[in-house]
Structures are given as structure tokens and as C-alpha cells.
Amino acid sequence: MPDRDALYFEDFHVGRRFVTRGVTLSEAEIIDFAFKYDPQPFHIDKVAAARSQYGGLIASGFHTLSAAFRMAIQQNIFTAASMGSPGLDEVRWLKPVYPDDTLHMELEVVHAEPSKSRPDRGRIRVAYTVKNQKDEAVLTFTAMQIVKRRAAEDASDAAE
Amino acid sequence: MPDRDALYFEDFHVGRRFVTRGVTLSEAEIIDFAFKYDPQPFHIDKVAAARSQYGGLIASGFHTLSAAFRMAIQQNIFTAASMGSPGLDEVRWLKPVYPDDTLHMELEVVHAEPSKSRPDRGRIRVAYTVKNQKDEAVLTFTAMQIVKRRAAEDASDAAE
């Protein structure tokens, strides 16, 4: 049975905004992520990072991206509707993220169109802005996302 | 003292290619990453994933991106020169990545220009293709990267 509070394609109208809760990236978490996935000195080595152009340890851009996206998933914005994403565009790391920075994410639907070939889904484009505790944008990107239509859920429910 | 085998801006000429070694993404690793950063059912729940359009568990796109990038870092392609990246463009997840898929990455320098304002560095654009064990492209993206010039390293060495 479809969840009446859940969001579907029809709910992601252009201009709709969402704001996630925050997450603090600890120094330990920054080093752990980077040691596994992006072991550059300015992400894992405090001594080398202090001598780098960043003046200290900073989070891997992949870590910032993943942690921020998790906050959107946790918020259940796409829980019911998500059918995955074909890709991201214009990923821009605008400012370094330092240990103990607290990030949240702001989302805005910038495009929405129903699928022409598949009546059960639509495609939306969402503009994401990750901000720190000073309200500075540290990362921006847009994502194409395939989302289920509510009508399709209702039809599948009626057929059961 | 600069490492004479290390790569600097001057070495990243347009058309130069690199191929990384591979990494196998286990089911456990796929679930661990997604449970933390992208907890959608088709990434963390085998039962739900079997009923999804993917027919089974697939890796988070952020996981594929991070794991593939790690292979480039591990190869030491950018060890000496990397000064970070302003961003990525046209990130495209082309095929699902399933448990036990083995990924490697192919890189090609597609643009290179010295910085006009800062003589110690240049900017390159690299086209990345992540392929699976069947040589199918599962992810493509391009990255802008800021890299040190060899001349700057030599000058800083001479000044010491």
C-alpha cells in the first residue's frame, strides 16, 4: 500500500525546496574515509596538511559529497520514489571542509518531466547546495533523478 | 628534493593515458558503504533489492566513484603534483555495479594549461572511465585538477 505521506514525482514540482539536518565531520571520520578512498596527504596526514596550501587537514571531496547525500536520504525525501540516478553535473568544491565543520544540505527541484516511454516514472533535476555552520556554500552540484509517479503506485496497489 | 620519477604538470600532456589496477567490491563492502552514506533499499537490503528494477543489490554510485578514485591515488599518478580539484563534470553511472564486480579505471588527459596568475601550477582536465571485468564502462566523469609544475618544485628545492 502506498504511503500517503511519501513523496512521488507529482510532489517534486519545480521550485520546491528541502533542507536537511546537519552532520559534524570529525577529524577521525575525515581521516578514516580518506585513508580508504582518497589517501592524499592533505586528507590523512596532519603534519603534511599543515604545510599544504590548506593549512591543515581537510575532508576528501568525495567524503563531503557522500556525507551530505546521506543527510538527504536520512530525511526520507526520496525514500518512496527513488529509482536511482543517471548522474551528477557541475560538482564544485567551493571551500575546504575542516574537522568539526557541521554540514547541512539545501535542495531545490529545478526541472521535472514525466517519462514519455514509461508511465510509471518521471525525471527530475535537483540542485544541491552543501553549507557549513557559517552558512557558506562548500559544495554545489545538480543531480538527475528517476522517481516513481504516485499514480503508478496507486495502480499497483489496486491490482494486488 | 623533488622526486625525479614523480609526475608534474609538464608530464600531463593532452592524450596521455593511465590505467589503474583493479578492485573487487564485495557484498559486505557495498552494504557497509551504503549503510553509512547512501542507505537506499537497493544498496543495503538484499530482499528489497531483489524486488527492485536492478534485480539485486547494487553499489552506491558514490561508492563506485570513491573506490575507483582511490585506485588512481594508489597508483601514485597524482602523488607529487596534486593540489586538489575544483570539481567534476558529467558524472554518469552507466551500468549497475553488482557484488564481486571488479573495477579498474582508465584516465586520459584531455586539457592542460598553465596558470596565468600562479607560475607554480597548472590546470588539467582528466577524463575518467571506470570499467568492470567485462570491460563495460560503468561510470564516466571528467575532473578539473590543479597540479604543481616541475619548475616550481626545482626552484623551491634550489632555494633550500
Side-chain angles (χ1 to χ4, degrees):
Chain A
M1 196 165 81
D3 174 356
R4 294 293 159 187
D5 293 328
L7 299 176
Y8 290 94
F9 172 75
E10 290 77 359
D11 304 302
F12 294 104
H13 56 79
V14 172
R16 184 158 184 181
R17 289 163 179 270
F18 303 90
V19 179
T20 73
R21 297 186 188 89
V23 59
T24 304
L25 295 197
S26 70
E27 182 180 286
E29 168 74 7
I30 285 172
I31 294 172
D32 280 358
F33 183 99
F35 195 56
K36 195 157 188 183
Y37 296 114
D38 190 0
Q40 301 190 71
F42 42 79
H43 297 318
I44 63 170
D45 175 337
K46 291 175 74 169
V47 177
R51 287 194 302 250
S52 77
Q53 76 269 30
Y54 300 112
L57 210 62
I58 63 166
S60 164
F62 297 110
H63 188 191
T64 306
L65 185 61
S66 301
F69 191 75
R70 149 70 187 267
M71 299 314 291
I73 294 299
Q74 183 170 325
Q75 206 93 348
N76 287 329
I77 299 167
F78 301 113
T79 304
S82 174
M83 301 182 79
S85 167
L88 310 179
D89 287 280
E90 294 181 75
V91 178
R92 293 292 177 271
W93 291 292
L94 303 171
K95 281 183 175 287
V97 172
Y98 293 99
D100 292 326
D101 276 359
T102 298
L103 307 178
H104 74 277
M105 189 148 69
E106 301 181 7
L107 293 71
E108 182 176 351
V109 179
V110 293
H111 182 78
E113 63 178 323
S115 167
K116 289 183 185 74
S117 56
R118 298 176 132 170
D120 64 339
R121 63 192 71 176
R123 175 183 284 243
I124 60 175
R125 182 173 285 279
V126 180
Y128 291 85
T129 304
V130 182
K131 293 184 171 177
N132 65 17
Q133 67 281 4
K134 293 181 254 178
D135 211 41
E136 298 166 330
V138 298
L139 166 63
T140 54
F141 59 101
T142 71
M144 292 176 287
Q145 295 176 227
I146 310 298
V147 289
K148 286 180 201 156
R149 297 184 70 163
R150 183 183 302 275
E153 283 290 279
D154 291 350
S156 115
D157 186 46
E160 273 166 17
Chain B
M1 196 166 79
D3 174 355
R4 295 290 159 188
D5 293 327
L7 299 175
Y8 290 94
F9 172 75
E10 290 78 359
D11 303 301
F12 294 103
H13 55 80
V14 172
R16 185 158 183 181
R17 290 162 180 270
F18 303 90
V19 178
T20 72
R21 296 187 190 91
V23 58
T24 305
L25 295 197
S26 70
E27 181 180 285
E29 170 74 5
I30 286 173
I31 294 173
D32 279 358
F33 183 99
F35 195 56
K36 197 157 187 183
Y37 296 115
D38 191 0
Q40 300 191 69
F42 42 79
H43 298 317
I44 62 170
D45 174 338
K46 291 174 72 168
V47 177
R51 287 194 302 251
S52 77
Q53 77 267 31
Y54 300 114
L57 211 61
I58 62 166
S60 165
F62 297 111
H63 188 190
T64 305
L65 185 61
S66 301
F69 191 74
R70 147 72 187 267
M71 298 313 291
I73 295 298
Q74 182 171 325
Q75 206 94 347
N76 287 330
I77 301 167
F78 302 112
T79 303
S82 175
M83 302 182 79
S85 167
L88 309 179
D89 287 280
E90 295 182 75
V91 178
R92 294 292 177 273
W93 291 292
L94 303 171
K95 281 185 176 285
V97 173
Y98 294 100
D100 292 325
D101 276 359
T102 297
L103 307 178
H104 74 276
M105 190 149 68
E106 301 182 6
L107 294 70
E108 181 177 352
V109 179
V110 293
H111 183 78
E113 63 178 322
S115 168
K116 290 183 183 72
S117 56
R118 299 177 133 169
D120 65 339
R121 65 193 70 177
R123 176 183 285 243
I124 60 175
R125 181 173 286 278
V126 181
Y128 291 86
T129 304
V130 183
K131 292 184 172 178
N132 64 19
Q133 67 281 7
K134 291 180 255 177
D135 210 43
E136 298 166 329
V138 298
L139 166 63
T140 54
F141 61 101
T142 71
M144 293 176 288
Q145 294 176 225
I146 311 298
V147 288
K148 286 182 202 156
R149 296 184 69 162
R150 183 183 302 274
E153 283 289 282
D154 290 350
S156 116
D157 186 47
E160 271 166 19

